[in-house]
Amino acid sequence: MMEDFYNPPDHFIPEIRFKAATGELNISGESFHEYSVEFYQPVFDWLHRFLEIPNKTITMNFKMTYFNTNTSRRFLEIFDLLEDYEKNKGGRVTVNWYYKAHDVDMKESGEEYMADTNLTINLIPYVS
């Protein structure tokens, strides 16, 4: 069985918690690491292994309070992987994009990802 992936939150980096057995993938917090390609590489390595097995149900939860342009590109790459998995490997993917109810920018980011992909993305406001 595949192991879970966990990266604890720190200054500039989000908490990343991927649960292999349940298909629940969570990214939360802030992400404005200067070297986002290097930082997210282990995430992509894990995702590529996880997505080798077809027909999984995956729930991807984003609960970001801030991310920079470099991180935005990495998130789009994650969405592309999940979209490909759904299209070509029979996966069922749901993305939940949580944003603070007053955070218009974060809501708009979720809407932009909706426009850029064919994934089901639920925009979910919350009060902190």
Side-chain angles (χ1 to χ4, degrees):
M1 173 160 254
M2 187 169 177
E3 296 204 13
D4 293 346
F5 181 90
Y6 181 70
N7 189 86
D10 202 351
H11 194 60
F12 307 127
I13 60 173
E15 178 179 41
I16 302 172
R17 185 181 302 270
F18 291 173
K19 299 177 184 177
T22 63
E24 184 180 336
L25 314 177
N26 299 290
I27 300 179
S28 62
E30 297 181 336
S31 182
F32 49 104
H33 197 284
E34 185 175 339
Y35 303 103
S36 68
V37 172
E38 294 83 356
F39 172 75
Y40 281 96
Q41 190 57 53
V43 172
F44 285 104
D45 293 344
W46 188 93
L47 277 172
H48 282 289
R49 286 191 309 277
F50 179 70
L51 298 175
E52 287 176 359
I53 300 170
N55 303 316
K56 292 181 184 183
T57 298
I58 298 170
T59 302
M60 179 88 218
N61 297 305
F62 284 90
K63 195 172 187 180
M64 303 301 298
T65 54
Y66 176 81
F67 58 92
N68 64 7
T69 302
N70 286 337
T71 297
S72 178
R73 290 184 191 115
R74 304 298 79 77
F75 288 172
L76 187 56
E77 290 176 41
I78 291 171
F79 287 130
D80 288 344
L81 282 175
L82 295 175
E83 188 174 12
D84 181 70
Y85 182 72
E86 192 171 65
K87 181 179 178 183
N88 296 313
K89 293 205 175 176
R92 292 163 306 285
V93 178
T94 300
V95 177
N96 295 315
W97 185 268
Y98 294 90
Y99 64 95
K100 291 183 181 179
H102 67 279
D103 190 343
V104 176
D105 292 334
M106 197 59 63
K107 180 183 180 189
E108 288 176 354
S109 293
E111 291 170 343
E112 289 172 11
Y113 288 122
M114 286 174 69
D116 290 340
T117 70
N118 290 318
L119 292 170
T120 300
I121 299 178
N122 302 308
L123 299 175
I124 304 170
Y126 69 94
V127 178
S128 60

